[in-house]
Amino acid sequence: KAGVTQTPRYLIKTRGQQVTLSCSPISGHRSVSWYQQTPGQGLQFLFEYFSETQRNKGNFPGRFSGRQFSNSRSEMNVSTLELGDSALYLCASYPDLTGGITEAFFGQGTRLTVV
Amino acid sequence: SQQGEEDPQALSIQEGENATMNCSYKTSINNLQWYRQNSGRGLVHLILIRSNEREKHSGRLRVTLDTSKKSSSLLITASRAADTASYFCATDGYSGSARQLTFGSGTQLTVLP
């Protein structure tokens, strides 16, 4: 089974631009979460999608948005990029198990650099 | 914001020695998980312990959980150079709807050959 795939792996953008990152979960997984990792703030939860619906959102400004498609693939978008948005963005998917207790499966991440 | 802190922030040991990392958290949890990250890559799940469990083993890993103290520890026995990585604890307050992991600040483990 293929793992979680994130594209692109690396991205360089200029301040003020917008960016879209993509995540393809493991086949059969319907829950997709996004995390931002920076040296200063560590790993922080952005949002979670399940069956095309956002179920939970972290404490990030409205410039950060996401969506999920009917095939469970997810995208996140950051508009009006700031230098502080430079980070490793990680996507994780979960199997849809009853009982709910399961680990997350992470992709390799997208390294975004804003210049 | 971070759920809690991990201790120590950095740990350097010789191959063959044991490594112990500690994690504290703040809120009630459904389960606690440990992940490893190699040099800015994705996170790899190591072990999950449920809130009603006190200890769990997986290969060279041993995890303990003390919900009264809101703390957990990860022990890696007979460490190898390949264990060099950052280790994160993550709490899961999963309540049947949304999934959200809250991570600790991480421990950077270096195993010297």
Side-chain angles (χ1 to χ4, degrees), chain A residues 31 33 35 45 48 55-56 94 99-104, chain B residues 3 23 25 27-35 45 48-51 65 89-104:
Chain A
S31 170
S33 298
Y35 293 83
F45 172 77
E48 187 230 358
R55 290 202 294 195
N56 199 6
Y94 287 87
I101 296 178
T102 177
E103 72 268 29
Chain B
Q3 167 71 289
C23 162
Y25 58 92
T27 62
S28 62
I29 62 171
N30 177 289
N31 63 80
L32 185 143
Q33 304 173 29
W34 285 88
Y35 289 83
H45 178 261
L48 180 154
I49 185 165
R50 299 178 182 222
S51 58
L65 178 64
C89 67
T91 54
D92 184 354
Y94 177 69
S95 61
S97 55
R99 297 188 181 276
Q100 175 179 346
L101 292 175
T102 304
F103 287 88

Side-chain angles (χ1 to χ4, degrees), chain A residues 7-13 19-21 110-114:
Chain A
T7 56
R9 289 292 312 279
Y10 302 92
L11 207 48
I12 300 175
K13 288 286 189 179
V19 67
T20 299
L21 312 181
T110 294
R111 171 74 62 185
L112 171 66
T113 302
V114 182

Side-chain angles (χ1 to χ4, degrees), chain A residues 5-77:
Chain A
T5 303
Q6 291 189 245
T7 56
R9 289 292 312 279
Y10 302 92
L11 207 48
I12 300 175
K13 288 286 189 179
T14 304
R15 268 182 303 174
Q17 287 186 313
Q18 74 164 19
V19 67
T20 299
L21 312 181
S22 178
C23 171
S24 294
I26 292 172
S27 177
H29 291 194
R30 291 194 290 164
S31 170
V32 174
S33 298
W34 288 88
Y35 293 83
Q36 181 197 64
Q37 185 177 26
T38 60
Q41 298 298 315
L43 280 152
Q44 294 190 285
F45 172 77
L46 280 157
F47 25 65
E48 187 230 358
Y49 287 87
F50 180 82
S51 290
E52 302 179 66
T53 301
Q54 185 182 90
R55 290 202 294 195
N56 199 6
K57 189 176 192 304
N59 189 25
F60 278 82
R63 299 185 297 107
F64 291 81
S65 63
R67 59 178 175 168
Q68 187 180 35
F69 302 95
S70 59
N71 62 357
S72 295
R73 189 177 70 86
S74 177
E75 288 181 347
M76 68 162 281
N77 184 276

Side-chain angles (χ1 to χ4, degrees), chain B:
Chain B
S1 61
Q2 296 292 305
Q3 167 71 289
E5 294 301 315
E6 288 186 55
D7 165 49
Q9 286 190 324
L11 179 61
S12 184
I13 59 174
Q14 294 293 137
E15 216 166 18
E17 294 181 335
N18 295 342
T20 300
M21 288 159 264
N22 303 295
C23 162
S24 63
Y25 58 92
K26 297 175 183 172
T27 62
S28 62
I29 62 171
N30 177 289
N31 63 80
L32 185 143
Q33 304 173 29
W34 285 88
Y35 289 83
R36 184 185 74 216
Q37 184 179 39
N38 288 86
S39 191
R41 298 174 66 87
L43 297 167
V44 174
H45 178 261
L46 295 175
I47 194 165
L48 180 154
I49 185 165
R50 299 178 182 222
S51 58
N52 61 355
E53 297 175 313
R54 291 297 166 258
E55 188 171 313
K56 198 162 183 180
H57 297 253
S58 176
R60 294 185 296 112
L61 305 179
R62 172 179 168 254
V63 169
T64 61
L65 178 64
D66 187 334
T67 53
S68 66
K69 295 181 180 177
K70 290 187 166 60
S71 67
S72 174
S73 68
L74 170 68
L75 168 68
I76 304 174
T77 60
S79 62
R80 306 165 181 167
D83 294 328
T84 295
S86 292
Y87 291 81
F88 296 90
C89 67
T91 54
D92 184 354
Y94 177 69
S95 61
S97 55
R99 297 188 181 276
Q100 175 179 346
L101 292 175
T102 304
F103 287 88
S105 50
T107 293
Q108 172 61 52
L109 172 66
T110 302
V111 181
L112 303 168

